């Protein structure tokens, strides 16, 4: 539903309960409004996260929004929505607070929920960030396996910018483990994908990676 459709649906249910005496409309109203609130909380939280990436100024509302969305999606029985929200809770711990261990259980739960409903997009995000936790802990083989899974999932669903970003992550991992040939191969592949889909930001990351690896 579009925003206006949600509002009209909620108003219709209100009138059924208020004037038509349909008590069941109250429960339906709760579901409609919970869905709207969850979607809005996710959208606001993601905007705050991108702002953090831009200015590195933490906003505690980001975590509160994602936690609220996770709570609402769980209440609604929406496993895909809950998986997405839990991923972003984990991302707040890992990226904003720099605590990958605190984020790990959220990524694991996110991945499990997403897998249960074949939500490969969220699976690709969760396993990617679990890989970063593995890398930080020196579990390089596990990190490689998870990053490869993330790239494969994104390729399967046609998420080309994400596929390119995943290849950049694989390149950094290869460089860190001393395999410079594999690192530049991943970057070449990433550049081809990014150019074809117009992912200009990822092209910038690739250039930064090349500069870093040549220095």
């Amino acid at each position: 539903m579009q925003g206006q459709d949600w509002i009209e649906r909620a108003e219709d249910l209100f009138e059924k309960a208020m004037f038509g005496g349909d008590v069941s409309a109250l429960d339906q109203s709760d579901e409609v409004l919970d869905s709207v609130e969850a979607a809005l909380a996710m959208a606001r939280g993601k905007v705050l996260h991108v702002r953090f990436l831009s200015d590195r100024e933490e906003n505690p509302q980001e975590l509160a929004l994602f936690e609220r969305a996770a709570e609402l999606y769980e209440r609604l029985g929406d496993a895909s929505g809950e998986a997405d929200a839990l991923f972003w809770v984990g991302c707040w711990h890992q990226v904003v607070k720099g605590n990958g261990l605190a984020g790990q259980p959220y990524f694991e739960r996110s991945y499990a929920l997403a897998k249960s409903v074949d939500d490969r997009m969220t699976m690709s995000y969760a396993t990617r960030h679990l890989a970063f936790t593995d890398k930080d802990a020196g579990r390089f083989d596990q990190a490689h396996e998870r990053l490869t899974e993330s790239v494969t999932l994104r390729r399967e669903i046609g998420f080309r910018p994400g596929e390119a970003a995943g290849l950049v992550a694989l390149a950094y991992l290869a460089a860190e483990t001393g395999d410079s040939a594999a690192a530049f191969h991943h970057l070449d592949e990433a550049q081809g994908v990014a150019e074809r889909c117009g992912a200009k930001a990822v092209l910038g990351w690739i250039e930064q990676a090349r500069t870093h690896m040549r220095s």
Side-chain angles (χ1 to χ4, degrees), residues 137-207:
R139 298 187 294 270
F140 298 117
D141 288 345
Q142 180 73 3
H144 182 271
E145 182 179 331
R146 281 177 160 151
L147 286 175
T148 301
E149 179 189 14
S150 179
V151 170
T152 300
L153 287 165
R154 291 174 173 191
R155 189 173 287 145
E156 288 173 351
I157 61 177
F159 181 28
R160 300 308 177 207
E163 177 188 346
L167 288 165
V168 174
L170 277 169
Y172 274 113
L173 180 63
E176 189 168 341
T177 55
D179 191 346
S180 59
F184 284 105
H185 173 75
H186 288 314
L187 289 179
D188 289 342
E189 189 177 1
Q191 184 159 347
V193 174
E195 286 175 347
R196 287 192 295 274
C197 69
K200 294 181 179 179
V202 180
L203 287 171
W205 302 345
I206 293 167
E207 187 57 37

Side-chain angles (χ1 to χ4, degrees), residues 52-64:
F52 168 79
L53 295 177
S54 176
D55 59 27
R56 295 291 162 174
E57 292 185 9
E58 178 185 333
N59 187 326
Q61 277 299 109
E62 180 184 333
L63 176 62

Side-chain angles (χ1 to χ4, degrees), residues 9-204:
R9 176 63 175 155
E11 183 65 22
D12 179 58
L13 289 167
F14 158 74
E15 291 186 0
K16 285 183 178 179
M18 183 73 178
F19 303 112
D22 184 357
V23 179
S24 68
L26 296 175
D27 291 336
Q28 295 177 58
S29 295
D30 287 338
E31 292 184 6
V32 169
L33 295 173
D34 283 350
S35 295
V36 174
E37 184 182 350
L40 182 58
M42 287 295 295
R44 287 193 183 281
K46 289 177 180 180
V47 168
L48 289 179
H49 188 76
V50 174
R51 282 188 174 142
F52 168 79
L53 295 177
S54 176
D55 59 27
R56 295 291 162 174
E57 292 185 9
E58 178 185 333
N59 187 326
Q61 277 299 109
E62 180 184 333
L63 176 62
L65 286 163
F66 291 138
E67 287 180 332
R68 178 59 174 162
E71 175 189 347
L72 290 166
Y73 281 129
E74 181 181 20
R75 182 189 303 171
L76 290 163
D78 184 339
S80 183
E82 185 183 356
D84 189 24
L86 288 172
F87 163 76
W88 285 101
V89 172
C91 204
W92 185 86
H93 286 289
Q94 185 184 63
V95 177
V96 178
K97 302 302 288 185
N99 189 340
L101 287 177
Q104 183 173 343
Y106 294 101
F107 296 141
E108 290 172 344
R109 178 60 176 157
S110 171
Y111 182 87
L113 278 172
K115 188 174 183 178
S116 74
V117 291
D118 196 31
D119 178 356
R120 287 177 283 175
M121 176 68 86
T122 300
M123 287 171 65
S124 80
Y125 274 102
T127 197
R128 170 185 170 86
H129 283 257
L130 281 168
F132 296 151
T133 301
D134 287 330
K135 182 177 73 68
D136 291 343
R139 298 187 294 270
F140 298 117
D141 288 345
Q142 180 73 3
H144 182 271
E145 182 179 331
R146 281 177 160 151
L147 286 175
T148 301
E149 179 189 14
S150 179
V151 170
T152 300
L153 287 165
R154 291 174 173 191
R155 189 173 287 145
E156 288 173 351
I157 61 177
F159 181 28
R160 300 308 177 207
E163 177 188 346
L167 288 165
V168 174
L170 277 169
Y172 274 113
L173 180 63
E176 189 168 341
T177 55
D179 191 346
S180 59
F184 284 105
H185 173 75
H186 288 314
L187 289 179
D188 289 342
E189 189 177 1
Q191 184 159 347
V193 174
E195 286 175 347
R196 287 192 295 274
C197 69
K200 294 181 179 179
V202 180
L203 287 171

